[in-house]
Amino acid sequence: MRSPAGVLLVLVAIPTVANLAGGGPTWIWTPSLPTPLLRLVTEAGLLDVWLVVDLLAAVGVLGGLAVAATAVAERAAAAALLALVGALSVAAAVTGARLPLWYALAYTAGLVLVLRAGCCSKR
């Protein structure tokens, strides 16, 4: 498992398994979203979209897309997906959500791996 996609797959699988083992898929960012920001998202009509993206990240779909992008050498797309999930997950963990910090760090480690492999160039 020396390929970036293989290692990235493991880093994505860790938080995914942890989320699913906790009794089924649950949102990872929404519980830590400050009420004023949640209100703005709701008033803008984006709550449904937010919850879907949050759930997709929680069950590893966004990370899986990053793995697929890395496997086909679309590292810029992989880096963007992992940066999004990693940043939101770190922010959620730091603000005291039930999301463990290691969960957020797994996605951030995936981003570092993709960046070290040469984020914006094809193999």
Side-chain angles (χ1 to χ4, degrees), residues 75-92:
R75 292 189 183 104
L81 284 166
L82 290 168
L84 170 70
V85 176
L88 288 171
S89 297
V90 168

Side-chain angles (χ1 to χ4, degrees), residues 53-90:
V53 171
D54 193 358
L55 193 59
L56 289 175
V59 297
V61 171
L62 297 181
L65 290 173
V67 170
T70 301
V72 297
E74 291 296 335
R75 292 189 183 104
L81 284 166
L82 290 168
L84 170 70
V85 176
L88 288 171
S89 297
V90 168

Side-chain angles (χ1 to χ4, degrees), residues 3-80:
S3 73
V7 177
L8 184 58
L9 183 59
V10 170
L11 291 172
V12 169
I14 292 169
T16 302
V17 168
N19 186 270
L20 295 174
T26 57
W27 294 291
I28 56 175
W29 305 318
T30 303
S32 65
L33 200 62
T35 303
L37 187 53
L38 184 59
R39 191 172 296 124
L40 284 174
V41 168
T42 303
E43 290 172 0
L46 298 173
L47 183 60
D48 290 340
V49 172
W50 168 265
L51 292 174
V52 168
V53 171
D54 193 358
L55 193 59
L56 289 175
V59 297
V61 171
L62 297 181
L65 290 173
V67 170
T70 301
V72 297
E74 291 296 335
R75 292 189 183 104

